[in-house]
Amino acid sequence: MRMNNRSAQSGRSMVEMMGYMAVVMTVIAAVGHLIGNAYNEFKYSKASMQVSDLAAAIVRSATVDADYSEVVGNVRAVNDNGKAIIPKTFRIVGTTVYHAFGGTVEVAAMTGDASKFAIKFNRLNRKQCIELAMKDWQRNQTVDLYEIAVNNNYWFWSAYKNLETTDNTLPVKRSAVAGTGAGNSGQCNASNNSIMWVFN
């Protein structure tokens, strides 16, 4: 008789334990999801700031120069002068610079017009591409954005727009980069995207 009672009690305890474990696992999964989302938001914010900060650092460093060729040359070479310009939020390995999402960063003076320079972020996934393309430049007071190229789709401010090459007028429209469904996936691909920002 006592053994049967113990078995029944033991069975109830096991069921209760399973219930507790299910609740704990649900809570852990929910917390993990919240932490993951917060970390992703931090990464998007960091990458967005990296573009602005690097552009502002190049503009400041070239203030007394005729154009951006020398400053950009130092940044591209990642020499001592270049490292002094590149913000500490970037990761540098040898002569390669990496952005917050782990892809490479390219910097160049524009061919034939060194009064402009470009910053390019490579190896972006689709969501990263969409979010960085949507960065708001209208309230920016540090640098003068000239154009954006999302996977070679160019976006200009209306003052600079060349109607012969594009109908894309800044600011970037989410429907254009993310697509509208029904076979239109937009300008951001499933993977391996690049965005280039050109500054005056």
Side-chain angles (χ1 to χ4, degrees), residues 11-142:
R12 283 195 300 271
S13 296
M14 186 63 82
V15 169
E16 288 168 2
M17 263 317 248
M18 296 285 281
Y20 294 143
M21 292 284 283
V23 170
V24 168
M25 293 301 284
T26 303
V27 170
I28 289 172
V31 169
H33 184 69
L34 286 172
I35 290 171
N37 283 344
Y39 183 68
N40 284 338
E41 288 305 313
F42 165 73
K43 286 279 200 173
Y44 290 121
S45 177
K46 181 178 178 181
S48 178
M49 288 297 296
Q50 284 181 322
V51 180
S52 300
D53 291 347
L54 180 55
I58 291 171
V59 169
R60 278 194 308 272
S61 299
T63 302
V64 296
D65 296 343
D67 57 36
Y68 292 108
S69 55
E70 183 179 346
V71 170
V72 166
N74 288 330
V75 173
R76 282 175 60 93
V78 195
N79 57 27
D80 289 341
N81 291 333
K83 287 178 182 176
I85 296 167
I86 299 167
K88 302 299 182 195
T89 55
F90 288 90
R91 186 167 61 94
I92 300 172
V93 179
T95 58
T96 306
V97 181
Y98 296 91
H99 56 70
F101 297 118
T104 57
V105 178
E106 298 175 39
V107 179
M110 298 306 290
T111 305
D113 186 4
S115 67
K116 295 182 178 66
F117 68 94
I119 297 172
K120 186 177 182 183
F121 278 22
N122 296 308
R123 218 180 75 199
L124 299 167
N125 69 28
R126 180 173 169 76
K127 183 166 172 45
Q128 293 161 359
C129 174
I130 292 167
E131 294 302 321
L132 286 180
M134 297 298 302
K135 177 176 169 57
D136 183 9
W137 291 96
Q138 290 176 299
R139 296 185 193 90
N140 184 71
Q141 297 177 351
T142 327

Side-chain angles (χ1 to χ4, degrees), residues 140-151:
N140 184 71
Q141 297 177 351
T142 327
V143 289
D144 181 18
L145 179 71
Y146 176 73
E147 67 180 343
I148 296 175
V150 180
N151 292 323

Side-chain angles (χ1 to χ4, degrees), residues 126 178-186:
R126 180 173 169 76
T180 55
N184 178 0
S185 60

